[in-house]
Amino acid sequence: MSDLGEFALIARYFERSQHPLPTQVVLGIGDDCALLQPTPGMQWAISSDMLVSGRHFFADVNPRTLGHKALAVNLSDLAACGARPVGFTLALSLPDADPAWLQGFSQGLFALADAHHCPLVGGDTTRGPLNICITVFGETPPGQALLRSGARAGDDIWVSGTLGDAALALHCLWGRDQLPAEALALARQRLEQPTPRVALGQALRGIATAAADVSDGLLGDLGHILERSRVGAELEALDAINLLAARAHITGASGTFDPHSQADSTALRYVLSGGDDYELVFTAALESRLQVESAATGCGTRVTRIGRIVRDPGVTVKAPDGSALHGPWASFDHFAT
Ligand code: ADP
Ligand code: MG
């Protein structure tokens, strides 16, 4: 990184010596290792996510929103486990040290980091194709992490927030779909600045039986829960389709679900298969409905019940008349396309 120098770049954009560190961070940026000490009795929850230019984002995307998203997708993994964020590392490969880009990127990154009291504690910086890899460290009481393996037949299936709008925005940016300007701006916000459900994840400890975050699409990520828990699922198409915030703009807001309408099938496909929403999909026992709702209200996050866990493997999507739907729903797989 010769234009600015690797160390000058780190010092200018990533080292923030004036910021107080949480007690778990004994030593942050500046030495060969960061030193972390979990709160006594707690367990580490650790996750990494890599964002590659041209694969996970457009190379010319606003660097501020990219900084936000790079951390958001990692915090979303902590949320899915019910863990509390402690800190993160950033491995950054950059084609050049562009001050405007670095300024925007670090602002977006730190705005979200500060909102979650999750400081940057170390990393690596090198020249190369634009690539961002973050590892987050969180903590959770032993035995209380939300796992994918705990769903049981009879449990409700819940989803936080809205689903499908990020994929819809992406299709609009690709020129494969259309939305009025105002609706596109909202959908694009969902794509570029997802909200990790960190508070909700922690509030669901001891209530949810299983959880995952929706990064690759609802069917895919719910599928991980089903596989790990050795169960199946029945989803209600009408409840699912209403998760698409932009639904009114592509269906004419019929208020119900018409399996023969092209627009409704398209909307349902965004909800079931679209990726990049970073909401939580989780399961909980029937008796826990009130607890789920009050946990969600406490975090100011909407949650919706969209179906139930069944004993037999596989997923059935049901029309309002109870009949099973068959659609071209495949979850997004980076190696399949
Ligand atoms: P080393 O060569 O020993 O791996 P470096 O010289 O690469 O260390 O980094 C110097 C210090 O700056 C280290 O504390 C490292 O964690 C930190 N650092 C390097 N790049 C970044 C980055 N992109 N974000 C945060 N900290 C970084
Ligand atoms: Mg290095």
Side-chain angles (χ1 to χ4, degrees):
M1 305 260 70
S2 56
D3 349 25
L4 177 58
E6 179 184 342
F7 302 106
L9 184 159
I10 296 165
R12 185 173 311 168
Y13 297 105
F14 297 114
E15 226 176 316
R16 301 160 90 214
S17 39
Q18 73 288 5
H19 271 251
L21 293 169
T23 53
Q24 300 98 323
V25 182
V26 181
L27 183 66
I29 293 176
D31 216 302
D32 291 303
C33 293
L35 298 176
L36 303 185
Q37 174 80 51
T39 307
M42 298 288 264
Q43 254 174 10
W44 286 123
I46 301 171
S47 175
S48 295
D49 260 297
M50 185 148 62
L51 267 67
V52 177
S53 176
R55 171 53 83 171
H56 301 96
F57 58 89
F58 297 106
D60 61 351
V61 72
N62 179 336
R64 209 187 147 100
T65 60
L66 185 59
H68 171 103
K69 183 159 179 177
L71 181 57
V73 305
N74 279 276
L75 289 174
S76 178
D77 283 319
L78 288 187
C81 286
R84 182 153 71 100
V86 169
F88 69 103
T89 59
L90 167 68
L92 195 56
S93 162
L94 292 172
D96 50 46
D98 172 0
W101 191 93
L102 281 158
Q103 182 74 29
F105 178 81
S106 59
Q107 278 176 359
L109 184 80
F110 286 127
L112 187 65
D114 292 347
H116 291 280
H117 306 289
C118 182
L120 177 61
V121 299
D124 195 25
T125 309
T126 178
R127 189 190 288 277
L130 181 55
N131 188 333
I132 304 156
C133 182
I134 288 181
T135 298
V136 276
F137 299 81
E139 54 179 33
T140 175
Q144 287 189 39
L146 304 177
L147 304 179
R148 295 175 172 181
S149 52
R152 286 176 296 246
D155 283 356
D156 289 319
I157 300 170
W158 298 79
V159 170
S160 66
T162 61
L163 277 190
D165 297 283
L168 176 51
L170 189 59
H171 278 74
C172 292
L173 296 176
W174 279 337
R176 295 184 196 161
D177 212 331
Q178 284 182 325
L179 277 179
E182 210 171 298
L184 178 58
L186 286 175
R188 203 168 162 174
Q189 168 93 7
R190 298 282 300 150
L191 174 69
E192 293 176 351
Q193 292 193 272
T195 306
R197 302 300 182 186
V198 174
L200 180 65
Q202 290 169 78
L204 289 172
R205 288 200 302 238
I207 302 172
T209 51
D213 66 322
V214 183
S215 52
D216 295 332
L218 177 63
L219 288 184
D221 292 306
L222 173 62
H224 296 313
I225 291 180
L226 302 181
E227 204 171 302
R228 291 272 158 179
S229 305
R230 299 166 186 274
V231 289
E234 273 178 14
L235 300 180
E236 301 293 343
L238 181 56
D239 297 323
I241 202 175
N242 282 323
L243 291 170
L244 186 71
R247 184 185 174 205
H249 299 283
I250 59 173
T251 67
S254 62
T256 177
F257 171 75
D258 174 3
H260 306 296
S261 126
Q262 177 69 35
D264 274 1
S265 301
T266 302
L268 190 58
R269 188 172 181 187
Y270 281 126
V271 171
L272 296 179
S273 318
D276 262 349
D277 294 292
Y278 298 97
E279 293 294 345
L280 298 183
V281 54
F282 58 96
T283 57
L286 247 68
E287 309 82 70
S288 306
R289 282 182 185 174
L290 285 178
Q291 275 179 289
V292 169
E293 267 153 15
S294 76
T297 308
C299 322
T301 305
R302 157 182 151 183
V303 290
T304 307
R305 250 185 307 122
I306 57 161
R308 65 204 68 79
I309 296 292
V310 296
R311 192 139 24 91
D312 294 336
V315 179
T316 315
V317 182
K318 290 167 68 186
D321 68 2
S323 63
L325 292 168
H326 303 282
W329 305 305
S331 137
F332 188 78
D333 180 335
H334 284 289
F335 293 98
T337 46

